[in-house]
PDB file of all heavy atoms in Angstrom:
ATOM      1  N   VAL A 120     113.248  90.529  96.372  1.00 98.00           N
ATOM      2  CA  VAL A 120     112.184  91.523  96.547  1.00 98.00           C
ATOM      3  C   VAL A 120     110.857  90.750  96.759  1.00 98.00           C
ATOM      4  O   VAL A 120     110.102  91.044  97.686  1.00 98.00           O
ATOM      5  CB  VAL A 120     112.091  92.447  95.291  1.00 98.00           C
ATOM      6  CG1 VAL A 120     110.858  93.310  95.415  1.00 98.00           C
ATOM      7  CG2 VAL A 120     113.337  93.266  95.180  1.00 98.00           C
ATOM      8  N   ALA A 121     110.615  89.763  95.904  1.00 97.00           N
ATOM      9  CA  ALA A 121     109.347  89.037  96.001  1.00 97.00           C
ATOM     10  C   ALA A 121     109.225  88.308  97.311  1.00 97.00           C
ATOM     11  O   ALA A 121     108.184  88.368  97.965  1.00 97.00           O
ATOM     12  CB  ALA A 121     109.237  88.069  94.805  1.00 97.00           C
ATOM     13  N   PHE A 122     110.276  87.569  97.707  1.00 98.00           N
ATOM     14  CA  PHE A 122     110.163  86.760  98.900  1.00 98.00           C
ATOM     15  C   PHE A 122     110.117  87.535 100.197  1.00 98.00           C
ATOM     16  O   PHE A 122     109.446  87.173 101.130  1.00 98.00           O
ATOM     17  CB  PHE A 122     111.282  85.694  98.965  1.00 98.00           C
ATOM     18  CG  PHE A 122     110.927  84.471  98.145  1.00 98.00           C
ATOM     19  CD1 PHE A 122     111.345  84.349  96.815  1.00 98.00           C
ATOM     20  CD2 PHE A 122     110.098  83.510  98.678  1.00 98.00           C
ATOM     21  CE1 PHE A 122     110.996  83.255  96.094  1.00 98.00           C
ATOM     22  CE2 PHE A 122     109.734  82.416  97.949  1.00 98.00           C
ATOM     23  CZ  PHE A 122     110.183  82.280  96.640  1.00 98.00           C
ATOM     24  N   VAL A 123     110.782  88.691 100.225  1.00 98.00           N
ATOM     25  CA  VAL A 123     110.653  89.565 101.416  1.00 98.00           C
ATOM     26  C   VAL A 123     109.226  90.017 101.520  1.00 98.00           C
ATOM     27  O   VAL A 123     108.618  90.064 102.606  1.00 98.00           O
ATOM     28  CB  VAL A 123     111.638  90.732 101.348  1.00 98.00           C
ATOM     29  CG1 VAL A 123     111.337  91.742 102.442  1.00 98.00           C
ATOM     30  CG2 VAL A 123     113.068  90.248 101.428  1.00 98.00           C
ATOM     31  N   PHE A 124     108.607  90.301 100.373  1.00 98.00           N
ATOM     32  CA  PHE A 124     107.201  90.716 100.383  1.00 98.00           C
ATOM     33  C   PHE A 124     106.284  89.579 100.849  1.00 98.00           C
ATOM     34  O   PHE A 124     105.438  89.730 101.720  1.00 98.00           O
ATOM     35  CB  PHE A 124     106.776  91.212  99.008  1.00 98.00           C
ATOM     36  CG  PHE A 124     105.380  91.642  98.904  1.00 98.00           C
ATOM     37  CD1 PHE A 124     104.962  92.863  99.452  1.00 98.00           C
ATOM     38  CD2 PHE A 124     104.420  90.837  98.283  1.00 98.00           C
ATOM     39  CE1 PHE A 124     103.625  93.244  99.387  1.00 98.00           C
ATOM     40  CE2 PHE A 124     103.093  91.240  98.158  1.00 98.00           C
ATOM     41  CZ  PHE A 124     102.665  92.408  98.730  1.00 98.00           C
ATOM     42  N   PHE A 125     106.536  88.341 100.279  1.00 98.00           N
ATOM     43  CA  PHE A 125     105.723  87.225 100.729  1.00 98.00           C
ATOM     44  C   PHE A 125     105.889  86.948 102.223  1.00 98.00           C
ATOM     45  O   PHE A 125     104.943  86.646 102.936  1.00 98.00           O
ATOM     46  CB  PHE A 125     106.167  85.947  99.997  1.00 98.00           C
ATOM     47  CG  PHE A 125     105.903  85.974  98.499  1.00 98.00           C
ATOM     48  CD1 PHE A 125     106.760  85.262  97.621  1.00 98.00           C
ATOM     49  CD2 PHE A 125     104.928  86.772  97.971  1.00 98.00           C
ATOM     50  CE1 PHE A 125     106.513  85.279  96.244  1.00 98.00           C
ATOM     51  CE2 PHE A 125     104.685  86.823  96.592  1.00 98.00           C
ATOM     52  CZ  PHE A 125     105.474  86.097  95.753  1.00 98.00           C
ATOM     53  N   HIS A 126     107.132  87.117 102.676  1.00 98.00           N
ATOM     54  CA  HIS A 126     107.414  86.914 104.121  1.00 98.00           C
ATOM     55  C   HIS A 126     106.645  87.879 104.974  1.00 98.00           C
ATOM     56  O   HIS A 126     106.040  87.496 106.003  1.00 98.00           O
ATOM     57  CB  HIS A 126     108.935  87.048 104.302  1.00 98.00           C
ATOM     58  CG  HIS A 126     109.400  87.144 105.766  1.00 98.00           C
ATOM     59  ND1 HIS A 126     109.146  86.159 106.682  1.00 98.00           N
ATOM     60  CD2 HIS A 126     110.092  88.113 106.421  1.00 98.00           C
ATOM     61  CE1 HIS A 126     109.651  86.502 107.835  1.00 98.00           C
ATOM     62  NE2 HIS A 126     110.263  87.673 107.716  1.00 98.00           N
ATOM     63  N   MET A 127     106.575  89.116 104.517  1.00 98.00           N
ATOM     64  CA  MET A 127     105.791  90.130 105.272  1.00 98.00           C
ATOM     65  C   MET A 127     104.318  89.700 105.319  1.00 98.00           C
ATOM     66  O   MET A 127     103.676  89.779 106.334  1.00 98.00           O
ATOM     67  CB  MET A 127     105.916  91.503 104.606  1.00 98.00           C
ATOM     68  CG  MET A 127     105.101  92.557 105.304  1.00 98.00           C
ATOM     69  SD  MET A 127     105.361  94.201 104.586  1.00 98.00           S
ATOM     70  CE  MET A 127     104.203  94.229 103.287  1.00 98.00           C
ATOM     71  N   CYS A 128     103.809  89.197 104.163  1.00 98.00           N
ATOM     72  CA  CYS A 128     102.431  88.745 104.157  1.00 98.00           C
ATOM     73  C   CYS A 128     102.195  87.567 105.130  1.00 98.00           C
ATOM     74  O   CYS A 128     101.243  87.547 105.858  1.00 98.00           O
ATOM     75  CB  CYS A 128     102.035  88.307 102.732  1.00 98.00           C
ATOM     76  SG  CYS A 128     102.029  89.676 101.559  1.00 98.00           S
ATOM     77  N   ARG A 129     103.176  86.665 105.153  1.00 98.00           N
ATOM     78  CA  ARG A 129     103.050  85.509 106.095  1.00 98.00           C
ATOM     79  C   ARG A 129     102.965  86.069 107.503  1.00 98.00           C
ATOM     80  O   ARG A 129     102.082  85.655 108.310  1.00 98.00           O
ATOM     81  CB  ARG A 129     104.230  84.589 105.963  1.00 98.00           C
ATOM     82  CG  ARG A 129     104.166  83.286 106.731  1.00 98.00           C
ATOM     83  CD  ARG A 129     104.345  83.416 108.238  1.00 98.00           C
ATOM     84  NE  ARG A 129     105.685  83.653 108.672  1.00 98.00           N
ATOM     85  CZ  ARG A 129     106.007  83.832 109.944  1.00 98.00           C
ATOM     86  NH1 ARG A 129     105.082  83.849 110.886  1.00 98.00           N
ATOM     87  NH2 ARG A 129     107.262  84.052 110.245  1.00 98.00           N
ATOM     88  N   VAL A 130     103.888  86.944 107.863  1.00 97.00           N
ATOM     89  CA  VAL A 130     103.914  87.479 109.208  1.00 97.00           C
ATOM     90  C   VAL A 130     102.562  88.124 109.558  1.00 97.00           C
ATOM     91  O   VAL A 130     102.051  87.922 110.636  1.00 97.00           O
ATOM     92  CB  VAL A 130     105.095  88.437 109.429  1.00 97.00           C
ATOM     93  CG1 VAL A 130     105.006  89.117 110.820  1.00 97.00           C
ATOM     94  CG2 VAL A 130     106.402  87.713 109.288  1.00 97.00           C
ATOM     95  N   PHE A 131     102.064  88.886 108.622  1.00 97.00           N
ATOM     96  CA  PHE A 131     100.778  89.544 108.918  1.00 97.00           C
ATOM     97  C   PHE A 131      99.648  88.527 109.117  1.00 97.00           C
ATOM     98  O   PHE A 131      98.892  88.582 110.120  1.00 97.00           O
ATOM     99  CB  PHE A 131     100.394  90.566 107.857  1.00 97.00           C
ATOM    100  CG  PHE A 131      99.319  91.508 108.327  1.00 97.00           C
ATOM    101  CD1 PHE A 131      99.637  92.701 108.945  1.00 97.00           C
ATOM    102  CD2 PHE A 131      97.977  91.112 108.280  1.00 97.00           C
ATOM    103  CE1 PHE A 131      98.629  93.495 109.433  1.00 97.00           C
ATOM    104  CE2 PHE A 131      96.976  91.900 108.754  1.00 97.00           C
ATOM    105  CZ  PHE A 131      97.295  93.097 109.372  1.00 97.00           C
ATOM    106  N   TYR A 132      99.489  87.615 108.161  1.00 97.00           N
ATOM    107  CA  TYR A 132      98.340  86.722 108.191  1.00 97.00           C
ATOM    108  C   TYR A 132      98.410  85.718 109.322  1.00 97.00           C
ATOM    109  O   TYR A 132      97.392  85.118 109.682  1.00 97.00           O
ATOM    110  CB  TYR A 132      98.224  85.967 106.847  1.00 97.00           C
ATOM    111  CG  TYR A 132      97.677  86.882 105.750  1.00 97.00           C
ATOM    112  CD1 TYR A 132      98.365  86.979 104.535  1.00 97.00           C
ATOM    113  CD2 TYR A 132      96.510  87.602 105.888  1.00 97.00           C
ATOM    114  CE1 TYR A 132      97.920  87.813 103.494  1.00 97.00           C
ATOM    115  CE2 TYR A 132      96.045  88.410 104.864  1.00 97.00           C
ATOM    116  CZ  TYR A 132      96.753  88.504 103.696  1.00 97.00           C
ATOM    117  OH  TYR A 132      96.283  89.335 102.720  1.00 97.00           O
ATOM    118  N   THR A 133      99.591  85.538 109.963  1.00 96.00           N
ATOM    119  CA  THR A 133      99.651  84.682 111.098  1.00 96.00           C
ATOM    120  C   THR A 133      99.637  85.521 112.411  1.00 96.00           C
ATOM    121  O   THR A 133      99.846  84.965 113.496  1.00 96.00           O
ATOM    122  CB  THR A 133     100.887  83.764 111.104  1.00 96.00           C
ATOM    123  OG1 THR A 133     102.050  84.611 111.040  1.00 96.00           O
ATOM    124  CG2 THR A 133     100.861  82.827 109.937  1.00 96.00           C
ATOM    125  N   GLY A 134      99.516  86.842 112.314  1.00 95.00           N
ATOM    126  CA  GLY A 134      99.530  87.671 113.521  1.00 95.00           C
ATOM    127  C   GLY A 134     100.888  87.741 114.203  1.00 95.00           C
ATOM    128  O   GLY A 134     100.986  88.059 115.365  1.00 95.00           O
ATOM    129  N   GLY A 135     101.952  87.420 113.419  1.00 95.00           N
ATOM    130  CA  GLY A 135     103.318  87.398 114.020  1.00 95.00           C
ATOM    131  C   GLY A 135     103.887  88.779 114.366  1.00 95.00           C
ATOM    132  O   GLY A 135     104.955  88.870 114.953  1.00 95.00           O
ATOM    133  N   TYR A 136     103.116  89.823 114.028  1.00 96.00           N
ATOM    134  CA  TYR A 136     103.642  91.224 114.260  1.00 96.00           C
ATOM    135  C   TYR A 136     103.215  91.715 115.607  1.00 96.00           C
ATOM    136  O   TYR A 136     103.621  92.795 116.014  1.00 96.00           O
ATOM    137  CB  TYR A 136     103.160  92.159 113.161  1.00 96.00           C
ATOM    138  CG  TYR A 136     101.702  92.229 113.090  1.00 96.00           C
ATOM    139  CD1 TYR A 136     101.001  93.318 113.676  1.00 96.00           C
ATOM    140  CD2 TYR A 136     100.941  91.270 112.410  1.00 96.00           C
ATOM    141  CE1 TYR A 136      99.613  93.375 113.636  1.00 96.00           C
ATOM    142  CE2 TYR A 136      99.565  91.325 112.399  1.00 96.00           C
ATOM    143  CZ  TYR A 136      98.913  92.371 112.965  1.00 96.00           C
ATOM    144  OH  TYR A 136      97.562  92.432 112.921  1.00 96.00           O
ATOM    145  N   LYS A 137     102.419  90.942 116.342  1.00 95.00           N
ATOM    146  CA  LYS A 137     101.874  91.462 117.605  1.00 95.00           C
ATOM    147  C   LYS A 137     102.819  91.390 118.767  1.00 95.00           C
ATOM    148  O   LYS A 137     103.826  90.682 118.710  1.00 95.00           O
ATOM    149  CB  LYS A 137     100.556  90.721 117.890  1.00 95.00           C
ATOM    150  CG  LYS A 137      99.590  90.909 116.812  1.00 95.00           C
ATOM    151  CD  LYS A 137      98.222  90.530 117.249  1.00 95.00           C
ATOM    152  CE  LYS A 137      97.215  91.041 116.271  1.00 95.00           C
ATOM    153  NZ  LYS A 137      95.881  91.120 116.830  1.00 95.00           N
ATOM    154  N   GLN A 138     102.486  92.071 119.813  1.00 90.00           N
ATOM    155  CA  GLN A 138     103.324  92.050 121.000  1.00 90.00           C
ATOM    156  C   GLN A 138     103.823  90.642 121.342  1.00 90.00           C
ATOM    157  O   GLN A 138     102.984  89.755 121.275  1.00 90.00           O
ATOM    158  CB  GLN A 138     102.465  92.615 122.190  1.00 90.00           C
ATOM    159  CG  GLN A 138     103.293  93.338 123.194  1.00 90.00           C
ATOM    160  CD  GLN A 138     102.898  92.836 124.605  1.00 90.00           C
ATOM    161  OE1 GLN A 138     101.983  92.045 124.773  1.00 90.00           O
ATOM    162  NE2 GLN A 138     103.643  93.274 125.578  1.00 90.00           N
TER     163      GLN A 138
END
Side-chain angles (χ1 to χ4, degrees):
Chain A
V120 173
F122 275 95
V123 170
F124 179 74
F125 296 152
H126 169 59
M127 178 174 87
C128 295
R129 188 289 284 177
V130 172
F131 195 93
Y132 287 126
T133 58
Y136 59 99
K137 298 197 167 200
Q138 209 228 355

